[in-house]
Amino acid sequence: MTLNIQSLLNSQQQRETERDVPAINMDILSWLIILSLLFLCLWKSQRPKGFPPGPWSLPLIGNLLQFSKKEPLKDLDQLAQKYGPVFSLYFGGKLAVFTHGFSSAKEVLVTKGLEFAGRPDNPILDYIIKKKGIISAPYGQAWKEQRRFSLMLLRNFGLGKKSMEEKILQEATCLIEAFAENSGAPFDPQPFLETAVTNVMSSILFGKRFENNDSSLTTVLDVLHQNFKMAMGPWAMLYNAVPLVRRLPLPHQRILTNIQKIFAFLEKELEEHKAMFISGETRDFIDVYLEEIKKAERKGSSFEEEQLQVLLMDLLTAGSETTAGTLRWALLYLVAFPEIQEKCQKEIDSFLGSNSNLQCEDREKLPYTNAVIHEIQRCTTVVPLGVPHTPIQNAQLWGYQIPKGTTIFTNLHSIHHDESQWKFPHEFNPSNFLNAKGEFVKPEAFLPFSAGPRVCLGENLARMELFLFLTSILRSFQVSWPDVSQAPDLTPNFGLTQLPSSFKISMKNRQEIN
């Protein structure tokens, strides 16, 4: 009996031991899997040999948590101080390179401009535009063809000519009238500036202009603002980094919904033009492009309707968001520095006399006003990180090895505050663009439109608009800050474009004051 009991106890202990073995093995296996995954993530986060240095990163999310939400540009400044003018960061599992200051950016944009003329893969953007258009399209024959044709059409429809100047002055007159109608109380100038600037490009693209209260234009501009803000945000980055989340109902879906609204607006314009199209009688950009599509020799080329839609979105976007944003900054700086505003007005009055309008060629005769406009662009840098570049083949940058396809951000904001390039890099001072004789001088490090092979297509148009719109406003109004208890807020809101918060200003007709 004793033997049987002992035998049963031994048998039970053996069964319990056998049950415990797989449990222990499963625990060990789980830890081995976890440690292996961590090792894999850490191994993947190691920078390739010869790659630019940078901070440590977390598995999966990279360096995203190392940036403050409101002032990421200051974080980039601090990283440059530690790692030098060329460094790298992980966005999710992908490495990106940043240049800081003028010299390293010049190597990317100009010295080796063709080597770095590519555009990196960007899943959310590639899904939207299918690598078409000119802003984000990859460097190649199709891009060259579309850019060359677009530049030709812009010139044919007045870019750099008197006819374009007249269009801008016409919109400036409408803008002044709108300001005068609303000058009885403080008001937000944003919608009026956006309509004026957009109408200049609209007259080229669509052959028509919009009124300030046009709902279709307001919708397009609103969704453009939203997308510019979200494009550099965490949800767009999550979409790009993690394919599994792309179909989930997360905030990035708003970007895609907004794009559908823009394309619906463009599709409507395109259908109207196709219905009224008469070969040989071209009225605007769309008509000329449609005629180019119909040419027999264009079969199999990059000229087709989907390309046209993306091209229209590129030109409309580039021709409205950045220039209108710069004009908003200009008004904010003019009220923040009333003595500079007054000095501009005295220079304009002294030169203009009884003449009715300024012309673009008058910029050279208004050195101080011209310097103020450039200084506003320098201080604000509306597109702070430019449009990303990538080498079209394996390349070298600042002595580092950069593989083909690597995303490169040229920090234009850092160029415009580079202490080796500017007399007053950290303050608003028009003397940055004036020599000892008071003559206007544009330093090489002034790059609000980027530089090199992928320089902004609309640079000349934007420069014309900024000068003619701002001088028209300065000539007509004294602009002031309505709240004497609080200074204007010059803090930018970071995004693909860097814009001020909404604000209201007061305007008084200068003729009534005098």
Side-chain angles (χ1 to χ4, degrees), residues 10 74 91 138 142 145 178 190 249 272 337 339 373 415 463:
N10 290 340
K74 288 187 177 180
F91 289 99
E145 202 171 41
Q190 179 177 342
E272 289 177 1
F337 299 90
E339 70 284 359
I373 294 171
I415 297 172
R463 292 176 64 232

Side-chain angles (χ1 to χ4, degrees), residues 87-107:
F87 59 90
S88 62
L89 296 171
Y90 270 99
F91 289 99
K94 272 188 92 173
L95 273 169
V97 173
F98 286 78
T99 69
H100 194 274
F102 176 61
S103 297
S104 56
K106 182 181 178 182
E107 186 170 337

Side-chain angles (χ1 to χ4, degrees), residues 323-344:
T323 303
T326 304
L327 289 170
R328 288 176 62 203
W329 276 121
L331 291 179
L332 201 56
Y333 271 82
L334 289 173
V335 299
F337 299 90
E339 70 284 359
I340 289 179
Q341 178 184 170
E342 184 179 0
K343 194 170 179 179
C344 287

